[in-house]
Amino acid sequence: MEVGGLPVELWQLILSYLCLPDLGRCSLVCRAWYELVLSLDKTRWRQLCLGCIEHRHPNWPNQPGMEPQSWREAFKQHYLASKTWTKTTQDLESSNCLSLFRRRKGRRQLCVGASGEFSSLRAALAAASPYDRLVLLPGVHEEQSELLLKVPMEIVGQGKLGDVALVVSINQHCPTARLCNVVFMPARFTSVLYKTTSGYVQFDNCSFESGQLQIHAPGTCQVKFCTFKQSSIHLRSVALCILENCEFTGSENASVTVEGCPSSDRNWACKHLATLAKSCAVPVREPNPPSHPLAKRDGWGESLLRPVRTWKIVVGEERNSFLSALGAQALLGSAQEDMEFGENLWSAKEEEYPTLNSNSSDSNLCSNDEEDAQVVYKLSYQAHSLSHTLADISDSGLQSNRLHALQTDLKLKSLQQELQQDKEAQSLANSLQGCIIQQCLFRDGKGGIFIYSQGQAKLEGSIFRDLTYAVRCIQNSKVIMLRNDIHHCKASGIFLRLSAGGLIADNNIHSNCEAGVDIRKGANPLVLCNKIHSGLRSGIVVVGNGKGIIRSNQIYGNKEAGIYILYNGNPAVSGNHIFQGLAAGIAVNENGRGQITGNIICENQWGGVDIRHGGDPVLRNNLISYGYSDGVVVGKRGKGLIEGNAIYGNKGCGVWMMSSSLPHLINNQISHNSIYGVAVFCCEDDAGDYSSSQEGRESFQEEREGAGGENDLDIEEEYPAAQCNISVALVESNSISHNGAAGLHVKSSEALNIIANVIHANHDDGVAVLQSSQLTRIANNSISCNSRGGVLVEAECQVELRGNGIYENSSHGIVCKGEGIITENDIISNQRCGLQLLQAADMKVTKNRIQSFRDYGIALFDEAKGLVQENLIFQGRSKKSVLRPVSNAEDCIIEKNVLFTFKKRFDMECMLINPPARPHIEVGALGSCMVADGQNVSSITTKADRGCHNHRSIFCTIL
């Protein structure tokens, strides 16, 4: 009959009464009938799928309320899987299709029970032939001794699951068997419910209570739609097995134990199991948008570039690069006319000069007339060696573009992108060895999966909840975890140690009582594209020589550090988004190491990165922003290379470090932080409330005892800096700008080198040295446009200022109350004095070029003493040069200084030409500073200024 003869709805109603064989025949009539049969997907096919006692809902037990894409396809997959046990070696040469539907010769159905042909299972087994079907009638079937399966057969319980109970222990000695719709309970004499050492066994829709399945190689198994109540599976050296859509509850130990390397001795079923595993693989999740809170505001780019504080930055005119012979003669003539200035210096008492106050500010003193005059007397300094960096940070639009570019570069990658770029990860994701666990539920027990002694397991789309631990992988074993949910574990969610490895990718790991992922003792996994959040401790812990690659994860909302590295842990951490942690974003303690590169670390309650107690990481090219405390904290005995990071918009300091630490802070952009750009303190009390609780409360006793053990040599090879003897903290080549307080705040009891930094437009002094019991070297820096002075040195501090350019600060260029050397600096266009020596200052001031627009070039007060010699002082509008105290003339030597007055506009354009404006930095000179001690830093600074004759300016040499 033609399909068009009746309405489609009526056909669907008629066909809904057909059984499975009749539906198959109807679909073969023609294409129209085939499509009509397919249209019954949500009606008849759904009824057939849910009505079969051998199957359950396709998404049981994890999502029983979610319908599959096709009920017919789900029913087909269940049916084909249920026939795997019949595909023994005898049938491999015949057609796969025929082997499914062909009835075996002589196959019988035997009933076992009170009203059946056999009263006991043992009697039925004795009478059964190969591939017979044994139907167990409702009731309890108990045997007093172990049963042996010697021929292939199928054992099926009649009725609903739970109607048939087997109280027995079965030992399989045949090539294949299938058991379905049966409840297994342990016999009195053993807890082993079922055991096979060679054959294949298939369990469909069974329940196991208070017992154990044992599968030993070359035996294997397929377990589907089964329930394990206080029961477990032990797999020993199994080449390949599948656990699918099973539920494990109340286990007293691990629910699944995988022991031993997968055997190379594969039985006949492995080929079919591999095909099934590929067809039933959990589909790849579509990448979710980052759950970072900032992403909710018009995307990452907009959120990172939220409105920030702005300051008006005045950039002077470009210098005239052309210097003619006539111009040089004019300069020389002007200088010679002023030689008569000689030794005739201003002398005055302090009370005669009341307007000079080291703490005063003149931001409101500049009138319009003075602005015009300032242009006349202004020296061009924009051509120094760090001018390109200064131009970049002065351009807010360029900064915004760079932040956008950085955000794009650090965009979180999806798992597909990671697998395309990482062949090792791709190989692991596609591997099919050992135990394959798909869409299972593990809950309310002690352990989920335990893998040891070179075992291997692959977990896909499963849920682990309310366990002591989800996965424990040790002793050179390997675990592949894809798209699982792991939460509310009483200890760590995933635990790896003793050289374990594998791939942990695209999992949702949250709300665990200990770490989400715990890596120890040489374990070296790939941890990719996971969400690790809301933990009661740390997100990831790497301890005791643990390694691993941690990449492209979202780690947020954990109570302790997002990633915690200690006791020689040495992971590679890159491309992660670590945010909204209740402690530090990344903490490196107790000799922890690690390569931490290209991460976004933001909105954490404590430091974005916290380094203490021998922690020695490489922190490179990260965006550390919007933290509720400091960007980077280097605490007691912290070390590390901190290079190329953008440390931006934190509510504390950009970088906070203790003077006992030895970090190398190189080439970072440290800007728009609420307090200091970089702060160095003697002890934690100096910086406020940085309590020791910040270090976390993790318990790592076994790692503490074994730290520095088996893998020390490997660590040194991977991290060459570990072999260097670093003796002085180094702050080099950083851009420190637009911070809420001083750019660089020093209160140190140890030596410190501050080399080749751009310190610009901060809301206090550029550099403030409040305590320095050992020498602080400040060399080759550009210090400009800060809201107060350029450099402040308090009493009893030891400093060396050499080769710096100190320009256009709103107060004095340098205020010094301590002792040391100020040599070969350009101190130009500051609003107050160029250099002010106060109290008991004892400084050697030589070979500087100094200009103040409205005040003295050099002013000495109180009991200041020392040597002021061979300085070139450019006249400002005030016509003042040097203020000298009368009371201590014998202790203060002022000689051989030169006053330079302007005669023409051309003079002003050429003042800082030869040598050019400072700082002077040769290409390649900065890299050597990374490993320099105090003496080497001085030599490098000297090398940078070799363009001068005997370290003098050309003016001083001529005159």
Side-chain angles (χ1 to χ4, degrees):
M1 183 177 181
E2 292 293 333
V3 173
L6 292 174
V8 174
E9 292 79 7
L10 186 56
W11 276 117
Q12 291 176 341
L13 178 62
I14 294 171
L15 295 178
S16 67
Y17 289 93
L18 299 183
C19 60
L20 179 61
D22 291 335
L23 283 175
R25 295 186 185 99
C26 289
S27 66
L28 298 176
V29 173
C30 63
R31 178 171 293 278
W33 280 74
Y34 175 75
E35 292 177 354
L36 187 62
V37 172
L38 290 184
S39 70
L40 304 174
D41 189 77
K42 295 187 182 300
T43 54
R44 184 54 178 160
W45 288 111
R46 184 178 186 275
Q47 292 173 357
L48 289 171
C49 191
L50 296 178
C52 181
I53 64 169
E54 299 179 357
H55 311 143
R56 299 196 189 188
H57 190 287
N59 292 320
W60 183 88
N62 294 334
Q63 296 176 306
M66 187 177 114
E67 291 198 355
Q69 293 182 350
S70 169
W71 285 98
R72 175 183 170 277
E73 186 64 26
F75 183 76
K76 174 184 175 183
Q77 293 299 329
H78 296 337
Y79 182 82
L80 293 176
S82 68
K83 303 301 180 182
T84 301
W85 77 283
T86 64
K87 301 176 183 180
T88 53
T89 53
Q90 302 96 300
D91 298 321
L92 290 180
E93 295 180 358
S94 62
S95 167
N96 289 332
C97 182
L98 293 177
S99 67
L100 289 176
F101 295 100
R102 178 170 62 85
R103 181 176 294 277
R104 294 179 181 275
K105 295 181 180 180
R107 185 175 183 186
R108 299 175 299 167
Q109 179 170 302
L110 308 178
C111 293
V112 181
S115 59
E117 304 172 43
F118 300 91
S119 59
S120 69
L121 180 58
R122 186 182 298 274
L125 291 176
S129 299
Y131 298 99
D132 280 350
R133 180 184 177 96
L134 276 60
V135 178
L136 304 180
L137 302 179
V140 177
H141 300 261
E142 183 175 3
E143 298 293 339
Q144 300 301 319
S145 61
E146 184 180 74
L147 290 181
L148 299 180
L149 290 186
K150 298 182 179 180
V151 295
M153 67 181 57
E154 183 179 28
I155 301 175
V156 181
Q158 189 180 72
K160 297 179 179 180
L161 180 63
D163 292 345
V164 177
L166 267 179
V167 184
V168 67
S169 176
I170 299 176
N171 192 343
Q172 177 182 332
H173 288 181
C174 57
T176 182
R178 179 174 183 257
L179 296 97
C180 176
N181 203 40
V182 176
V183 176
F184 287 85
M185 297 181 179
R188 299 175 183 176
F189 53 89
T190 181
S191 62
V192 177
L193 302 174
Y194 197 98
K195 178 179 180 181
T196 181
T197 57
S198 60
Y200 164 80
V201 60
Q202 182 172 327
F203 295 98
D204 290 320
N205 196 33
C206 292
S207 179
F208 302 88
E209 297 182 4
S210 304
Q212 185 182 82
L213 300 185
Q214 293 184 358
I215 313 295
H216 297 182
T220 185
C221 67
Q222 178 188 351
V223 184
K224 189 168 185 177
F225 295 120
C226 292
T227 301
F228 292 78
K229 299 177 180 178
Q230 296 182 336
S231 298
S232 62
I233 302 177
H234 190 105
L235 305 167
R236 181 175 297 170
S237 300
V238 174
L240 182 62
C241 70
I242 297 178
L243 310 181
E244 188 178 0
N245 295 93
C246 295
E247 181 181 22
F248 297 81
T249 61
S251 63
E252 295 180 358
N253 293 297
S255 297
V256 178
T257 300
V258 182
E259 174 191 359
C261 181
S263 173
S264 58
D265 184 9
R266 295 180 167 231
N267 68 16
W268 63 270
C270 289
K271 176 181 177 181
H272 304 287
L273 291 177
T275 303
L276 282 174
K278 291 177 182 178
S279 64
C280 298
V282 179
V284 175
R285 296 174 180 168
E286 288 296 325
N288 295 326
S291 57
H292 190 290
L294 296 180
K296 299 176 183 177
R297 310 181 209 152
D298 301 327
W300 270 88
E302 296 296 328
S303 61
L304 287 174
L305 299 175
R306 63 175 74 175
V308 295
R309 302 181 298 275
T310 58
W311 291 263
K312 184 173 180 61
I313 301 170
V314 179
V315 180
E317 301 174 358
E318 292 294 323
R319 70 176 179 89
N320 187 350
S321 60
F322 175 74
L323 180 59
S324 65
L326 180 60
Q329 290 179 1
L331 286 175
L332 181 57
S334 298
Q336 287 174 339
E337 290 176 4
D338 291 310
M339 274 296 293
E340 59 189 35
F341 164 74
E343 301 287 333
N344 299 322
L345 306 175
W346 287 85
S347 300
K349 295 182 181 179
E350 183 176 353
E351 57 266 24
E352 296 174 357
Y353 197 72
T355 58
L356 271 178
N357 188 325
S358 63
N359 296 321
S360 65
S361 174
D362 64 340
S363 57
N364 299 320
L365 300 179
C366 189
S367 65
N368 292 334
D369 292 340
E370 286 179 328
E371 289 179 358
D372 295 338
Q374 192 167 359
V375 173
V376 175
Y377 288 94
K378 189 169 185 179
L379 297 175
S380 178
Y381 61 85
Q382 280 73 32
H384 60 73
S385 298
L386 297 177
S387 58
H388 61 285
T389 305
L390 184 60
D392 291 347
I393 64 177
S394 300
D395 187 340
S396 59
L398 181 59
Q399 278 192 304
S400 298
N401 292 336
R402 288 190 172 180
L403 281 174
H404 275 298
L406 181 61
Q407 174 262 323
T408 302
D409 291 341
L410 301 182
K411 184 178 179 181
L412 204 66
K413 293 181 181 178
S414 66
L415 180 58
Q416 296 93 324
Q417 292 171 323
E418 286 287 354
L419 295 181
Q420 288 172 1
Q421 297 175 7
D422 191 332
K423 298 304 179 184
E424 180 185 359
Q426 188 179 79
S427 175
L428 287 170
N430 294 330
S431 66
L432 292 172
Q433 276 191 312
C435 180
I436 311 296
I437 301 174
Q438 296 175 333
Q439 302 186 71
C440 293
L441 172 62
F442 298 80
R443 63 179 179 87
D444 302 314
K446 181 177 181 180
I449 314 295
F450 180 39
I451 312 162
Y452 71 102
S453 188
Q454 300 183 356
Q456 185 165 328
K458 183 175 184 179
L459 287 58
E460 293 185 88
S462 297
I463 295 177
F464 300 80
R465 62 177 175 86
D466 298 303
L467 304 165
T468 300
Y469 65 88
V471 177
R472 182 180 291 261
C473 183
I474 66 172
Q475 295 175 350
N476 295 288
S477 298
K478 188 179 296 184
V479 62
I480 296 99
M481 300 186 65
L482 303 174
R483 297 172 287 277
N484 302 282
D485 285 342
I486 300 165
H487 57 92
H488 292 95
C489 294
K490 298 178 180 64
S492 297
I494 303 171
F495 190 93
L496 302 101
R497 70 172 183 177
L498 297 175
S499 301
L503 173 65
I504 301 169
D506 204 16
N507 302 283
N508 186 19
I509 305 170
H510 65 93
S511 307
N512 298 291
C513 292
E514 296 288 341
V517 180
D518 192 318
I519 303 169
R520 310 183 182 214
K521 291 189 175 180
N524 190 20
L526 280 167
V527 184
L528 307 179
C529 304
N530 302 281
K531 288 185 178 180
I532 304 173
H533 61 98
S534 307
L536 300 184
R537 301 292 287 274
S538 300
I540 299 176
V541 171
V542 185
V543 189
N545 294 311
K547 299 180 182 178
I549 295 174
I550 302 169
R551 196 167 64 225
S552 298
N553 302 281
Q554 294 183 62
I555 304 172
Y556 58 95
N558 297 288
K559 193 171 182 180
E560 295 185 5
I563 299 177
Y564 200 1
I565 306 169
L566 64 167
Y567 297 116
N568 286 324
N570 190 22
V573 181
S574 64
N576 304 282
H577 290 184
I578 305 169
F579 55 94
Q580 282 197 341
L582 301 182
I586 298 177
V588 187
N589 284 349
E590 304 295 346
N591 300 311
R593 306 200 180 197
Q595 307 280 333
I596 303 169
T597 59
N599 304 280
I600 292 179
I601 305 170
C602 58
E603 288 199 351
N604 296 286
Q605 292 290 333
W606 294 350
V609 177
D610 191 300
I611 305 168
R612 300 171 186 264
H613 302 301
D616 191 8
V618 173
L619 184 67
R620 181 179 287 130
N621 298 336
N622 302 281
L623 173 60
I624 304 171
S625 63
Y626 301 123
Y628 293 99
S629 183
D630 306 313
V632 177
V633 174
V634 187
K636 186 177 181 181
R637 295 188 293 107
K639 301 179 184 178
L641 173 62
I642 303 170
E643 181 181 15
N645 303 282
I647 304 172
Y648 183 91
N650 298 285
K651 291 189 176 180
C653 305
V655 178
W656 182 97
M657 58 187 186
M658 291 184 65
S659 60
S660 62
S661 63
L662 293 172
H664 280 186
L665 191 67
I666 299 174
N667 198 29
N668 302 280
Q669 296 183 23
I670 305 170
S671 63
H672 297 90
N673 301 287
S674 295
I675 311 181
Y676 308 113
V678 177
V680 184
F681 290 97
C682 292
C683 59
E684 296 190 5
D685 294 338
D686 292 329
D689 186 15
Y690 287 88
S691 65
S692 59
S693 65
Q694 196 170 162
E695 300 172 19
R697 307 184 307 275
E698 307 273 4
S699 176
F700 303 109
Q701 182 61 38
E702 57 181 339
E703 280 69 25
R704 183 180 294 110
E705 293 171 356
E710 66 226 56
N711 289 356
D712 279 353
L713 293 177
D714 294 338
I715 291 173
E716 290 186 359
E717 290 176 1
E718 294 179 6
Y719 187 52
Q723 301 174 4
C724 298
N725 183 18
I726 300 172
S727 59
V728 180
L730 175 64
V731 180
E732 179 186 18
S733 300
N734 302 282
S735 170
I736 304 172
S737 66
H738 302 93
N739 297 288
L744 207 156
H745 179 94
V746 180
K747 196 172 182 182
S748 173
S749 59
E750 305 290 339
L752 175 65
N753 293 327
I754 303 169
I755 312 294
N757 302 280
V758 172
I759 303 172
H760 178 78
N762 299 285
H763 264 198
D764 205 301
D765 296 305
V767 179
V769 183
L770 305 185
Q771 179 180 334
S772 179
S773 55
Q774 296 191 40
L775 186 62
T776 296
R777 290 181 172 85
I778 305 172
N780 292 339
N781 301 280
S782 171
I783 305 171
S784 62
C785 300
N786 297 287
S787 295
R788 296 189 67 183
V791 178
L792 170 64
V793 181
E794 286 290 351
E796 300 181 358
C797 294
Q798 300 182 46
V799 297
E800 176 187 332
L801 285 97
R802 183 187 298 270
N804 302 284
I806 303 172
Y807 306 113
E808 290 197 32
N809 297 285
S810 296
S811 186
H812 310 290
I814 299 175
V815 175
C816 184
K817 305 174 187 177
E819 59 185 52
I821 300 172
I822 302 175
T823 184
E824 298 178 358
N825 302 281
D826 286 345
I827 309 170
I828 305 296
S829 298
N830 299 285
Q831 293 297 317
R832 303 299 297 267
C833 291
L835 169 62
Q836 189 179 79
L837 304 182
L838 300 174
Q839 298 177 8
D842 185 2
M843 300 297 297
K844 182 180 179 182
V845 182
T846 62
K847 303 176 184 177
N848 302 282
R849 294 185 292 192
I850 303 173
Q851 184 212 35
S852 174
F853 172 66
R854 70 168 65 89
D855 268 332
Y856 288 95
I858 301 175
L860 295 87
F861 292 99
D862 305 320
E863 303 300 320
K865 58 184 179 180
L867 174 65
V868 179
Q869 184 182 62
E870 296 185 12
N871 299 285
L872 180 60
I873 302 174
F874 298 98
Q875 177 184 309
R877 184 183 183 187
S878 65
K879 311 296 184 182
K880 300 172 183 178
S881 55
V882 177
L883 175 69
R884 174 180 181 177
V886 175
S887 59
N888 62 340
E890 67 280 1
D891 296 326
C892 185
I893 301 172
I894 303 177
E895 63 182 13
K896 298 182 182 179
N897 299 285
V898 176
L899 174 64
F900 192 95
T901 59
F902 298 111
K903 300 299 182 183
K904 302 177 182 178
R905 177 63 181 167
F906 182 78
D907 297 350
M908 294 175 287
E909 292 177 350
C910 301
M911 282 301 107
L912 300 181
I913 296 299
N914 194 358
R918 294 184 175 95
H920 303 157
I921 301 172
E922 291 184 358
V923 177
L926 292 180
S928 58
C929 294
M930 293 174 56
V931 293
D933 58 17
Q935 295 177 348
N936 288 336
V937 169
S938 295
S939 66
I940 291 166
T941 307
T942 302
K943 178 182 177 182
D945 284 336
R946 282 179 183 168
C948 303
H949 300 276
N950 298 323
H951 311 296
R952 298 182 178 185
S953 70
I954 293 224
F955 299 115
C956 294
T957 302
I958 293 174
L959 298 177

